[in-house]
Amino acid sequence: MTTSRPVARDDEPGGATSRDARPTGFAARVSLGRAFAPVPSEFLLILSTALLLTGFGLVMVLSATMADSVAKGESPFEVVMKQAAFALIGIPLMLIASRLPVTFWKRIAWPALIVTTAFQLLVFVPGLGVVNDGNRNWIQVAGFQMQPSEFLKLSLALWLGYVLYRKRSLLTSWSHVFIPVVPVGGLVIGLVAVGSHDLGTGLILMAILLGCLFFSGVKLRMFLVPLILVVVAAAYFAITSPNRMARIMSSLTHFDSTACYNAPVGDCYQAVHGVFGLAGGGIFGLGLGNSREKYGWLPAKANDYIFAILGEELGLIGCLVVLALFALFAVGAFHIIRKTDDPFIRIVSGGIVVWVVGQAIVNIGVVLRLFPVLGVPLPFMSQGGTSLLSVLLACGALLSFARTLPMRTPVPAAAPIPRGARPARR
C-alpha cells in the first residue's frame, strides 16, 4: 500500500517559493555586503584626490583651449570633449582595477611589459609614427594621437615589482640585483630616450627604476651604482642632442637675464611667458577663463604649461590647492608602502608614487624655470588622453593594493558601572 505524501504549497513554510527565495536573498545580501564593505582611509584618500585632480584638469583644459577652438571656427568644447572621453573611460577602468586581486597584477607583469614595449615600437612604423618638436613618440590612428610610452611607465613599475619580489631573498648579490633589471630596464628606457628622442619621458622611466630599487630594500652601495648609471645616461642623452642642449643652455644662461624677459624670443620664449602667466595671476588670480597668455602667447598652454594658466586664472591659492592634492595623493601612497607586508605591493607603489609625484614636480619646476624644458605633462591635468588613462590605471592598482591593508578595529568602550555598585579593590 502506497501512501501519498502531501505536497507543500508555495505559500507554506518549506514551499517552493520560500525554499528558493531564502538562498537567493541571502546571496544578494552577501554580494551587496562585499560591494559596500568598508575600505581603508588610504583607499578613500587616493580615490578622492585622483577624481578631484581629474575634474580640475578638465576645467583647466576647457579654459585653456576654448579661445583657440572658437578662432578655428570649432565648438569651444572641441578639445575638452576628447579629454572627457578618456576620463569617462579611465575612471571606470580605475574602479574595476581597484577590485582586482594582487595576484592578478603579479601575473600580468611580464605580459604587460612585452605588450607595451611592442606598442612603443609602433612609433617607428612609417605612416603611424608622428614627430613633434623633434620627438618621435606618438602614433596616429583614426585621427587620434596616442603616446605609447605613457603605458610603459605602469608596466615597468609592475615588472620591476614582480622581478624584485621574486628575488627578495637574493638582493644581497650584485648579479641578482642587476640581472635582469638593468638590461631590460635599459632596453625600455633606450627605446624612449634614444629611439624616440624623448628625454623627459626617459627620465621619468629612470626615476621609476630607481624608485623600485630603493623600495625593494637593496643596500645603499648597490643602489648608488644604478643611480650613477642613470645620471651618466641622462647626461649622454642631453649632450648628444642639439635640441636638448639648446633647452638646457637656455634655462641656464637666461635664468637671471633681463634681456630674455624684455624681448623673449627663441628658446626662452615659452618659458618666459609661463612666468608672465604666473606673475599676472597674483594671489587670487584673474578669474576662471580670464587668462591673457592663452591668446596666442603660450604655445603649450593646455599640456606642458597648463600650470601657468592655472596660476594666472586662479592665482597662488589655486596653485596651492593643486599642490596640496598631490601631497595628499603622496601621503596615501606612502601609507600603503608603510603598512603593507607584501614586498610586491611596496615596490610597485613606490614606483607609481615616484612616477606621479615626481612628474608633477618636474612639470611645475619647468614652469617656474627651475628645470629646463623637458616636455612632460602634469599628471591628471594636462591635455593628453593616453597620459590621463595611464595615470588612472596606476591609481586603480594603488586602490587595489589599499584594499589589502588591515582595517583598524575600534576599541570597545568600557561598560558603565551600575549606580550604587562599588568598584572592585585592586
Side-chain angles (χ1 to χ4, degrees):
M1 180 177 177
T2 59
T3 59
S4 61
R5 191 173 185 180
V7 179
R9 296 183 308 183
D10 289 348
D11 56 347
E12 291 180 352
T17 303
S18 62
R19 188 168 56 247
D20 296 337
R22 286 179 181 177
T24 304
F26 179 73
R29 287 194 298 272
V30 170
S31 178
L32 287 174
R34 290 176 180 175
F36 295 98
V39 291
S41 59
E42 291 79 10
F43 182 96
L44 298 176
L45 188 60
I46 293 173
L47 178 62
S48 59
T49 52
L51 293 177
L52 286 173
L53 285 169
T54 302
F56 214 157
L58 292 176
V59 173
M60 295 312 304
V61 168
L62 172 62
S63 177
T65 59
M66 61 189 307
D68 284 351
S69 298
V70 172
K72 295 176 183 177
E74 301 173 345
S75 168
F77 304 100
E78 180 74 19
V79 177
V80 75
M81 290 304 294
K82 295 179 181 179
Q83 187 79 356
F86 282 96
L88 291 176
I89 296 172
I91 291 175
L93 285 179
M94 175 182 67
L95 297 177
I96 293 172
S98 71
R99 309 291 302 185
L100 299 175
V102 178
T103 53
F104 170 82
W105 301 106
K106 294 178 180 178
R107 289 173 183 172
I108 70 165
W110 271 104
L113 185 66
I114 294 172
V115 170
T116 53
T117 304
F119 193 33
Q120 175 65 25
L121 291 173
L122 293 179
V123 302
F124 305 108
V125 177
L128 285 179
V130 177
V131 179
N132 189 5
D133 292 334
N135 296 341
R136 191 182 184 89
N137 207 18
W138 288 265
I139 61 173
Q140 187 164 358
V141 180
F144 284 93
Q145 280 194 7
M146 294 179 286
Q147 192 171 359
S149 59
E150 291 294 330
F151 298 108
L152 270 176
K153 298 173 183 177
L154 177 58
S155 64
L156 181 63
L158 290 172
W159 179 81
L160 288 169
Y162 181 72
V163 169
L164 295 173
Y165 158 76
R166 293 291 301 269
K167 289 174 168 281
R168 60 190 181 277
S169 60
L170 303 172
L171 294 180
T172 56
S173 171
W174 288 91
S175 59
H176 287 287
V177 171
F178 292 134
I179 299 175
V181 170
V182 172
V184 176
L187 173 64
V188 171
I189 296 170
L191 280 177
V192 177
V194 180
S196 302
H197 305 288
D198 189 352
L199 180 59
T201 305
L203 288 175
I204 299 300
L205 292 172
M206 295 177 192
I208 293 172
L209 189 148
L210 292 176
C212 290
L213 282 175
F214 177 81
F215 288 104
S216 67
V218 297
K219 294 182 178 180
L220 182 61
R221 57 186 173 86
M222 295 186 181
F223 179 77
L224 288 177
V225 176
L227 178 61
I228 295 172
L229 292 176
V230 165
V231 173
V232 171
Y236 172 77
F237 294 149
I239 293 172
T240 54
S241 172
N243 185 23
R244 296 175 194 139
M245 282 303 299
R247 293 180 182 181
I248 295 173
M249 295 307 296
S250 172
S251 64
L252 294 178
T253 57
H254 297 299
F255 187 80
D256 293 323
S257 175
T258 56
C260 186
Y261 286 96
N262 292 332
V265 293
D267 296 322
C268 69
Y269 175 84
Q270 184 159 239
V272 169
H273 277 282
V275 175
F276 286 168
L278 288 174
I283 297 178
F284 300 102
L286 302 178
L288 192 61
N290 294 329
S291 168
R292 298 165 186 158
E293 293 294 330
K294 68 182 180 182
Y295 290 99
W297 297 103
L298 198 56
K301 52 187 171 293
N303 32 58
D304 295 350
Y305 276 80
I306 198 168
F307 191 77
I309 303 298
L310 169 70
E312 186 180 11
E313 295 187 349
L314 301 180
L316 178 63
I317 295 177
C319 294
L320 292 178
V321 169
V322 170
L323 291 175
L325 289 174
F326 277 110
L328 290 175
F329 178 88
V331 168
F334 278 118
H335 276 199
I336 295 175
I337 296 171
R338 182 175 61 87
K339 293 182 179 180
T340 186
D341 295 327
D342 191 335
F344 173 80
I345 293 177
R346 182 171 60 252
I347 297 169
V348 177
S349 300
I352 291 175
V353 72
V354 167
W355 157 25
V356 176
V357 179
Q359 186 169 312
I361 293 173
V362 169
N363 178 275
I364 295 171
V366 167
V367 176
L368 296 175
R369 299 207 69 193
L370 299 177
F371 305 131
V373 178
L374 296 173
V376 294
L378 184 61
F380 298 105
M381 298 189 65
S382 290
Q383 177 191 356
T386 47
S387 174
L388 178 61
L389 193 59
S390 64
V391 171
L392 289 175
L393 284 174
C395 289
L398 285 178
L399 295 176
S400 173
F401 299 157
R403 288 183 182 275
T404 65
L405 299 180
M407 296 288 293
R408 290 183 179 180
T409 55
V411 179
I417 300 175
R419 181 178 297 179
R422 294 183 179 179
R425 294 183 178 179
R426 295 183 179 178

